[in-house]
Amino acid sequence: MVQRFAQLLAVLLSAWFALWACAPAAAMRPMTGSMDEPNEFGGGYTYAAPLTDTNRCANDLITCNPGSNGQIWYQHRFGERFSLGGTLFGGQTSLFGGGVLGRFHLLESDRLQLGGDVSLGFAWGELGVPVAVRVAGPVWLYTEPTVAFRLVQPVRVPLGVAINLDDHFSVAAEGAWGFDPFFNPGLSVAETSYFSGSAGVSYRF
């Protein structure tokens, strides 16, 4: 009886950690849109890899490996200040799942856009501050530092370039550094660090 209970507990804990690990592998939603195109559909690819061979996700329970990931998203803008949407994702480091995306549009000008993101899924959540700065014509630099309730990279800082090809299509490429300052007090920042590269495209209408 005790052995069966221990086995059941191990299965439940494994499932919990697997679900907790599920979260999008990248930001990939540059804040470069406008009120003229309130709908956005997009997709992206991410490759993520740990900095060191000793990288661990949480409390030495799961060893993190490099891998490929994909995600798609849709969001609709309701008025001047708020967008709501959803995402589906899957891959070797993000695992598989979905969630709800909320964005507050706090500041918009021809040169600068600033907002706040709240993303929630099953057993994961994320707070982010998206910022985009126009550097020349259709070219923007963007970032979105995030703090999240997820097993891999609970803190992530991306930096990307987005290009609005026309009024509807936009392409983006970003690199990101993610690390874990919360769940591994015995490990250095380097031992919990991930680096990732992403590319994506979105259609606004």
Side-chain angles (χ1 to χ4, degrees):
M1 182 69 178
V2 174
Q3 184 177 3
R4 288 183 178 179
F5 177 77
Q7 290 173 343
L8 177 61
L9 182 61
V11 170
L12 291 175
L13 285 174
S14 298
W16 166 250
F17 280 110
L19 290 170
W20 194 13
C22 296
M28 290 313 301
R29 290 188 301 132
M31 198 170 179
T32 59
S34 71
M35 285 289 295
D36 296 331
E37 296 88 29
N39 300 285
E40 178 180 315
F41 178 79
Y45 166 82
T46 299
Y47 183 81
L51 178 63
T52 68
D53 292 337
T54 60
N55 181 282
R56 301 273 181 179
C57 287
N59 302 320
D60 295 334
L61 289 174
I62 301 174
T63 301
C64 297
N65 296 307
S68 298
N69 309 272
Q71 67 183 104
I72 59 173
W73 67 88
Y74 169 80
Q75 61 185 10
H76 175 77
R77 186 159 178 174
F78 296 89
E80 295 183 1
R81 295 299 180 188
F82 184 66
S83 294
L84 183 66
T87 183
L88 295 173
F89 56 86
Q92 294 170 291
T93 66
S94 67
L95 301 184
F96 298 87
V100 177
L101 308 173
R103 171 165 288 177
F104 298 92
H105 302 265
L106 304 177
L107 174 64
E108 289 186 324
S109 69
D110 291 337
R111 292 290 178 183
L112 175 66
Q113 297 202 26
L114 171 67
D117 278 359
V118 179
S119 305
L120 295 172
F122 184 72
W124 69 273
E126 181 178 273
L127 297 175
V129 181
V131 181
V133 178
R134 188 195 300 269
V135 293
V139 181
W140 295 74
L141 287 178
Y142 72 92
T143 185
E144 186 179 354
T146 60
V147 176
F149 179 71
R150 60 176 173 237
L151 203 56
V152 181
Q153 307 175 59
V155 175
R156 186 163 58 213
V157 182
L159 180 63
V161 177
I163 303 175
N164 294 333
L165 301 178
D166 55 26
D167 291 338
H168 302 288
F169 284 98
S170 178
V171 294
E174 74 177 50
W177 169 45
F179 63 99
D180 176 6
F182 305 123
F183 306 117
N184 284 291
L187 297 180
S188 68
V189 170
E191 289 177 306
T192 66
S193 288
Y194 257 81
F195 287 96
S196 61
S198 306
V201 60
S202 61
Y203 177 72
R204 296 162 179 156
F205 56 99

